[in-house]
Amino acid sequence: MTTHPTLTDGLLAPEPLERADTIPSAWYTDAFFHAFDQHAVFASTWQYAGAASRLTTPGDYLTATVGRSSAIVVQQQSGTPQAFYNVCKHRGGPLAMDACGSSRMLQCKYHGWTYRLDGSLRGVPRFNRTELFDKRDFGLTPLETSDWEGLLFVRAEGGGPALSSAMKGIAERIHPMRLTDMRFYQRITYDIACNWKVYVDNFLEGYHLPLVHPELCDAIDYSGYVTETAAHYSLQHSPMLGASAYGNAQSAGGNAWYYFVFPNFMMNILPGRMQTNIVLPLAPDRCRVLFDYYYPAEEMRDDPDGLAVRAGADHDFSHRVQLEDIEICEFVQRGLESPAYDRGRFSAETEAGVHHFQDLLKAAYRSRLSRHGQ
Ligand code: FES
Ligand SMILES: [Fe+2]
């Protein structure tokens, strides 16, 4: 791999929050980093795929993104999910082109090769005259697959922490709320004209709330807004004031928990509601953010009409906040591309989460460079 002039020991070194500069603008804008992030960051970290409860029967599947690749998570005959690259071994076609579905076997959408649910190659049409071909050499490539509190994650390269250690402490902290009681409700997709790191930085501080989100600011007790950091994630939390903001009477007086798990996964948890966000790089200056909404299984079963009203209000409010974030993030991307900017500084009072993310990013870059040489 070639390197980049900004990957110096000085710029990669961790610095204390009070003295640190922000990362160089090239890390958000240069095409080199779009490719480098795939190897240094996304290949070796757990990537959210979806709700485990969506896979109930053998053959149920979800598709997900791992770096630049598509993955398919398939419920096995044994009842556990297993992920594979969503890539046929004939000429690279897809086994699934949709977000989810169910099938007794996996069939490539290009020429129709079929695979068993365990990834072994089963049927190969019109191959009678092909010589020296052994189906056992053409099974699907598996990915590491793990479940945490009913959420499925996949990883391309091992070596990093187990999913349970990356998430250590979260389930205990949000008790008595239990994520395993929540069920997937809907997915909303946003395409944004900014680098994925701009979106993550923006998520990680409440500094911008008064100017960018005045309505959200009124819904929470901003004076009680706190940021904490752990090894692989950070947490921002704040007491909720009103009941109306998320259409959620249960939220009044409760806590809003905003978790970020390195490198690109967020959980926005309120009483009776969870929303996950996964940030997927599309290009140096474009990303896609998937919002998955979860609500209590009991409410989904017992009061679907009431839940539809509540979920509608929740979505409307989140959508307004998201449009405010998109507008500012797209401006920031253009700012980072301008010759007027390279590196800034952090508010030590409010930007500990951004600094923590950027430190983990530098560590991931250092680790990649030390393993593969500069
Ligand atoms: S690429 Fe899959 S059958 Fe041809
Ligand atoms: Fe925001």
Side-chain angles (χ1 to χ4, degrees):
M1 162 151 325
T2 53
T3 187
H4 188 275
T6 59
L7 289 176
T8 61
D9 289 348
L11 290 174
L12 288 165
E15 295 174 291
L17 170 63
E18 295 76 9
R19 303 205 185 149
D21 295 305
T22 59
I23 55 176
S25 58
W27 295 13
Y28 299 91
T29 60
D30 196 305
F32 171 87
F33 285 92
H34 181 61
F36 188 62
D37 287 344
Q38 303 297 339
H39 301 290
V41 176
F42 291 99
S44 53
T45 49
W46 289 104
Q47 296 293 304
Y48 168 79
S53 59
R54 298 181 75 189
L55 305 181
T56 55
T57 308
D60 288 356
Y61 65 83
L62 295 168
T63 54
T65 302
V66 182
R68 271 192 229 183
S69 304
S70 173
I72 181 167
V73 191
V74 189
Q75 186 78 346
Q76 301 293 293
Q77 297 293 354
S78 64
T80 56
Q82 175 64 52
F84 304 93
Y85 283 96
N86 183 18
V87 180
C88 172
K89 294 291 182 168
H90 173 221
R91 280 176 38 220
L95 305 155
M97 296 163 77
D98 42 8
C100 60
S102 190
S103 178
R104 281 190 308 114
M105 69 182 100
L106 302 171
Q107 181 172 41
C108 177
K109 298 294 177 280
Y110 202 177
H111 314 99
W113 281 26
T114 53
Y115 298 84
R116 297 178 188 88
L117 300 183
D118 66 3
S120 56
L121 181 58
R122 180 173 179 273
V124 185
R126 305 184 67 173
F127 253 56
N128 293 338
R129 288 173 50 203
T130 305
E131 298 176 6
L132 300 174
F133 175 75
D134 187 338
K135 284 200 262 187
R136 287 172 299 186
D137 298 334
F138 292 85
L140 298 177
T141 302
L143 287 154
E144 208 177 344
T145 314
S146 194
D147 176 323
W148 173 81
E149 296 289 310
L151 303 180
L152 291 173
F153 290 78
V154 297
R155 183 164 68 175
E157 286 176 10
L163 184 60
S164 56
S165 14
M167 302 296 200
K168 194 169 176 351
I170 298 179
E172 295 79 357
R173 187 69 188 272
I174 62 172
H175 184 82
M177 188 160 167
R178 287 156 40 108
L179 299 186
T180 47
D181 293 339
M182 308 298 276
R183 289 294 174 275
F184 174 80
Y185 184 78
Q186 65 175 344
R187 171 170 287 185
I188 307 290
T189 301
Y190 296 94
D191 281 4
I192 308 174
C194 72
N195 184 267
W196 69 276
K197 302 181 199 88
V198 170
Y199 191 87
V200 170
D201 284 346
N202 176 70
F203 177 87
L204 285 170
E205 43 87 357
Y207 199 12
H208 72 275
L209 262 54
L211 285 177
V212 177
H213 309 299
E215 192 186 359
L216 174 59
C217 233
D218 288 342
I220 63 168
D221 177 3
Y222 189 64
S223 64
Y225 198 100
V226 174
T227 301
E228 299 172 23
T229 59
H232 302 284
Y233 63 82
S234 61
L235 165 65
Q236 300 164 83
H237 60 91
S238 165
M240 301 289 294
L241 291 178
S244 60
Y246 288 96
N248 186 352
Q250 300 167 51
S251 71
N255 246 313
W257 310 95
Y258 305 112
Y259 278 98
F260 165 73
V261 184
F262 184 79
N264 61 337
F265 180 64
M266 294 100 166
M267 289 182 288
N268 303 313
I269 303 171
L270 308 176
R273 173 268 212 189
M274 174 176 70
Q275 180 198 69
T276 63
N277 310 148
I278 177 108
V279 189
L280 305 171
L282 297 179
D285 58 356
R286 280 194 307 123
C287 65
R288 175 168 297 160
V289 186
L290 309 179
F291 279 48
D292 281 0
Y293 287 80
Y294 290 76
Y295 297 101
E298 201 183 325
E299 188 178 351
M300 211 173 278
R301 189 187 60 230
D302 297 344
D303 184 18
D305 295 341
L307 177 60
V309 173
R310 186 159 90 78
D314 183 10
H315 168 264
D316 289 349
F317 183 73
S318 284
H319 181 68
R320 286 201 297 280
V321 172
Q322 175 68 354
L323 294 184
E324 292 164 352
D325 279 324
I326 289 174
E327 184 181 26
I328 197 71
C329 284
E330 293 187 343
F331 263 100
V332 166
Q333 181 68 29
R334 295 196 290 276
L336 295 169
E337 288 167 3
S338 123
Y341 183 88
D342 184 27
R343 305 180 75 194
R345 295 290 304 270
F346 296 104
S347 153
E349 280 163 52
T350 66
E351 291 179 293
V354 186
H355 171 260
H356 174 256
F357 163 62
Q358 297 193 1
D359 256 8
L360 289 175
L361 185 74
K362 289 179 186 177
Y365 285 0
R366 289 196 303 272
S367 163
R368 178 73 190 180
L369 292 169
S370 70
R371 275 180 293 142
H372 295 270
Q374 296 206 29

